Amino acid sequence: MAFTSPKILLRRLGLRPKKAWGQHFLLYPHQAQRIVAALDLQGNETVVEIGPGLGALTVFLEREAAKVVALERDPALARFLEEELFPDNPRVRILCRDALAFDFRECSRNAARPLTLAGNLPYQITSPLLFKLVEAKAALGRAVFMVQEEVGDRLLSPPRTKDYGVLSVLMQYHFALERIFSLGPGNFYPPPQVDSVVLRLTPLEAAPMARDEALFSRVVKAAFAHRRKTLNNTLVSRAADFGLTPDQLRAIFTSLEIDPIRRGETLGVAQFVAVSNAIVEAGRLK
Ligand code: SAH
């Protein structure tokens, strides 16, 4: 099928790009192809696409995957995809849904293998979606997402940098993250205010294992709740939230050779894992 520019397509459909839904459509098929290529599809995957829009990525996914489930919140776009772009295509399912309300685990039960994910993500939902994926990790295989460059920096940044935060720690714990390439605003209609970056996420099997991943997340969130506070003020003073006394938590930091006058942002992923595992252990000895 010949490529029609998003501007012309939208005009024909009588639509305007909706800012509130982060609608910035890829202008060039070869960029869409590069994004899909980063998934390295073998032909047996079920791919869930977040925000297919006018189908820029979807047409390439359809060629290379066994099945595509595309979650598009905008009913007008979902109708276009369903009725015009992929009519009667048994391998493409267009669901008019909010991706944040989608049950990835349930969907994966009907697939032969973990779900592959793709999407040029609407920037409003990026963080909540990534947190949701952390929770659904067991159902997921590889993912390739385009995000705002700034979010990409946050995800990839190491300790002791201004971008390092809860999302960096949790994502780096669960996934190997790779920067694939960047795209400037001129690649989209309408052009966004910011640069974008394509990331590949591969779930880590042999992660630095947290024995209780929910507790691990709570420790990380508490440590970053007030960026400028020390571990004494974020974690030790809130020891009761973790079922311990402040002295017990201080002893944990001592045994791990972490000075509690440090800030949370100085701890690496493995140190957060060690702290949360020690809390599990101390709770058990009580
Ligand atoms: N993949 C297309 C469009 C990207 S724009 C392209 O690259 O050209 C982001 C798309 O996500 C839009 O189509 C928007 O309507 C859709 N969207 C926004 N919020 C969403 C949500 N919560 N769930 C599903 N889709 C959403």
Side-chain angles (χ1 to χ4, degrees), residues 79-276:
R79 201 175 315 121
F80 163 76
L81 293 166
E82 167 104 54
E83 294 174 5
E84 292 198 43
L85 207 54
F86 302 106
D88 305 315
N89 187 327
R91 295 192 303 109
V92 181
R93 263 185 86 194
I94 309 294
L95 300 177
C96 189
R97 291 275 179 87
D98 177 353
L100 293 179
F102 186 70
D103 190 340
F104 290 92
R105 282 198 212 115
E106 170 68 27
C107 179
S108 81
R109 270 181 225 124
N110 304 317
R113 53 190 67 243
L115 300 174
T116 301
L117 304 184
N120 167 6
L121 297 185
Y123 60 88
Q124 294 88 340
I125 69 163
T126 304
S127 295
L129 183 78
L130 295 175
F131 279 118
K132 191 177 155 78
L133 296 183
V134 161
E135 276 161 27
K137 188 183 82 165
L140 308 181
R142 182 174 289 178
V144 169
F145 292 133
M146 180 146 56
V147 300
Q148 276 175 271
E149 185 105 56
E150 187 196 310
V151 174
D153 288 342
R154 257 204 281 156
L155 296 182
L156 296 163
S157 64
R160 298 177 192 271
T161 58
K162 73 168 173 30
D163 290 330
Y164 186 64
V166 177
L167 206 52
S168 334
V169 179
L170 297 186
M171 291 300 287
Q172 289 171 24
Y173 170 79
H174 289 283
F175 301 95
L177 303 166
E178 297 164 87
R179 175 190 288 267
I180 309 295
F181 62 93
S182 299
L183 279 181
N187 289 284
F188 303 88
Y189 172 77
Q193 306 269 335
V194 293
D195 286 330
S196 303
V197 62
V198 176
L199 301 179
R200 178 164 51 212
L201 289 62
T202 310
L204 287 171
E205 303 304 336
M209 275 306 164
R211 282 193 227 158
D212 178 340
E213 289 186 344
L215 176 76
F216 166 71
S217 298
R218 282 172 50 217
V219 169
V220 175
K221 285 177 188 164
F224 282 101
H226 306 279
R227 267 203 98 83
R228 308 198 64 78
K229 287 193 180 176
T230 66
L231 295 168
N232 266 326
N233 290 320
T234 54
L235 287 174
V236 175
S237 67
R238 308 201 61 94
D241 293 354
F242 301 98
L244 301 180
T245 63
D247 277 344
Q248 282 176 307
L249 204 48
R250 234 175 261 121
I252 286 175
F253 282 122
T254 306
S255 70
L256 295 172
E257 296 181 14
I258 297 170
D259 188 335
I261 67 163
R262 285 166 59 178
R263 292 181 189 161
E265 68 193 18
T266 68
L267 266 56
V269 175
Q271 285 176 308
F272 278 114
V273 170
V275 171
S276 74

Side-chain angles (χ1 to χ4, degrees), residues 14-33:
L15 300 173
R16 277 167 195 280
K18 298 181 185 74
K19 223 180 179 168
W21 286 346
Q23 294 184 353
H24 299 281
F25 302 98
L26 268 172
L27 280 172
Y28 308 113
H30 70 276
Q31 303 292 20
Q33 202 162 14

